[in-house]
Amino acid sequence: MNYRRFLHGAKFWFWVALFVAYSAGAVGLLMIDTYEDRYRHLSKVELTTVKAHEDVRRAGANQVAAVYRAQSGMPFASLPAGSTFQVVWPDGSTETMVIIDPSSPNGIRPLANSQIPAAATDAR
């Protein structure tokens, strides 16, 4: 009788552990590559790098987020406030952005110390 109870408990915890591991692996950071055709020719994105002024990068990230939302299946549910995404600028440099207010033109901020120059990304 105790053996059956042990097996039942072991199976339960096995499935719980598997679910948690799958959930952790499925949740990833959204990466938006601005070299794609739909982003490449946006006016605020074309010449943007992590070396550009923060306001320029924020404007570019706002354009990228707007296009991403418009082309998603649920535009009002994608990239809500508090979500993060990584932008790969046209030169290959990357940085992580945080959505503060999706309805504001200044509603995206770069995450501190997340900027990686193109030379460093090429070295990886």
Side-chain angles (χ1 to χ4, degrees):
M1 184 87 154
N2 288 336
Y3 181 70
R4 285 186 185 176
R5 185 177 290 167
F6 172 76
L7 277 180
H8 180 68
K11 284 182 188 178
F12 171 77
W13 288 111
F14 169 77
W15 287 110
V16 168
L18 185 64
F19 176 76
V20 169
Y22 175 76
S23 298
V27 174
L29 182 65
L30 171 65
M31 185 183 329
I32 300 176
D33 188 352
T34 59
Y35 197 71
E36 291 181 28
D37 285 338
R38 60 184 164 171
Y39 305 112
R40 187 181 339 179
H41 301 294
L42 295 172
S43 63
K44 307 283 187 209
V45 172
E46 280 185 317
L47 302 175
T48 305
T49 72
V50 294
K51 295 178 182 177
H53 190 271
E54 181 178 327
D55 290 339
V56 173
R57 298 190 331 263
R58 289 172 63 181
N62 271 306
Q63 276 191 331
V64 166
V67 169
Y68 179 84
R69 284 186 192 105
Q71 294 182 348
S72 73
M74 300 184 320
F76 297 107
S78 60
L79 295 177
S83 59
T84 59
F85 66 97
Q86 187 174 44
V87 177
V88 180
W89 296 114
D91 72 336
S93 58
T94 63
E95 70 181 310
T96 303
M97 297 291 190
V98 179
I99 308 288
I100 305 300
D101 180 5
S103 62
S104 170
N106 294 319
I108 295 180
R109 300 247 163 77
L111 193 62
N113 302 319
S114 69
Q115 296 75 26
I116 303 172
T121 57
D122 290 342
R124 286 196 230 174

